[in-house]
Amino acid sequence: QAELEESGGGSVQPGGSLRLSCALPRYIYRMAWFRQTPGQEREGVASIDHNRATTYADSVKGRFTISQDNTKAFYLQMNNLKPEDTGMYYCAADSQWIPLDRRLAQSEYRSWGQGTQVTVSS
């Protein structure tokens, strides 16, 4: 059973926007979004911690924004979406501090959501 719960996925045309949300069951120090397409490994998209330090994958810099509101939820605003952004998006969280350069590795997260589908197509 997934500990976290995502919402906000859907279908959009290239250039469109979507906002994903993830509800947390309690305070957790750092959070992240990952995505996965069939046959591919799950890749880190963006991370944020309680102090709002962020990291982004190069492929989404300038288009995606991760945020958190200190009320047990965090978000991924996705703008200028491209077909290659299509995939299942997962939120993840963990309480242990790690350096920023490790925060897009899926092995560094112990709590996960069930995933929400994002499809970008004309």
Side-chain angles (χ1 to χ4, degrees):
Q1 183 176 356
E3 186 174 4
L4 312 180
E5 183 173 359
E6 304 97 339
S7 61
S11 296
V12 65
Q13 293 185 341
S17 298
L18 285 172
R19 187 184 193 225
L20 306 183
S21 301
C22 181
L24 301 169
R26 60 189 181 281
Y27 164 79
I28 300 180
Y29 176 69
R30 57 183 170 85
M31 300 141 275
W33 289 96
F34 289 78
R35 66 186 180 191
Q36 188 171 24
T37 53
Q40 301 295 318
E41 292 189 1
R42 194 171 296 186
E43 65 168 342
V45 173
S47 76
I48 190 168
D49 66 20
H50 182 70
N51 297 313
R52 293 185 168 83
T54 58
T55 58
Y56 292 93
D58 288 343
S59 59
V60 306
K61 284 180 181 177
R63 301 187 298 121
F64 290 12
T65 302
I66 189 170
S67 61
Q68 53 98 346
D69 63 7
N70 288 328
T71 60
K72 300 180 183 179
F74 67 107
Y75 311 93
L76 185 68
Q77 178 65 44
M78 304 185 292
N79 297 329
N80 191 22
L81 282 160
K82 303 176 180 180
E84 52 262 42
D85 295 318
T86 294
M88 187 69 76
Y89 282 69
Y90 298 89
C91 62
D94 200 280
S95 296
Q96 183 180 11
W97 183 91
I98 57 172
L100 280 172
D101 62 359
R102 287 165 48 187
R103 293 188 182 184
L104 294 183
Q106 63 169 322
S107 61
E108 300 291 359
Y109 292 86
R110 290 173 285 183
S111 298
W112 290 85
Q114 79 287 352
T116 185
Q117 179 68 34
V118 171
T119 302
V120 185
S121 174
S122 55

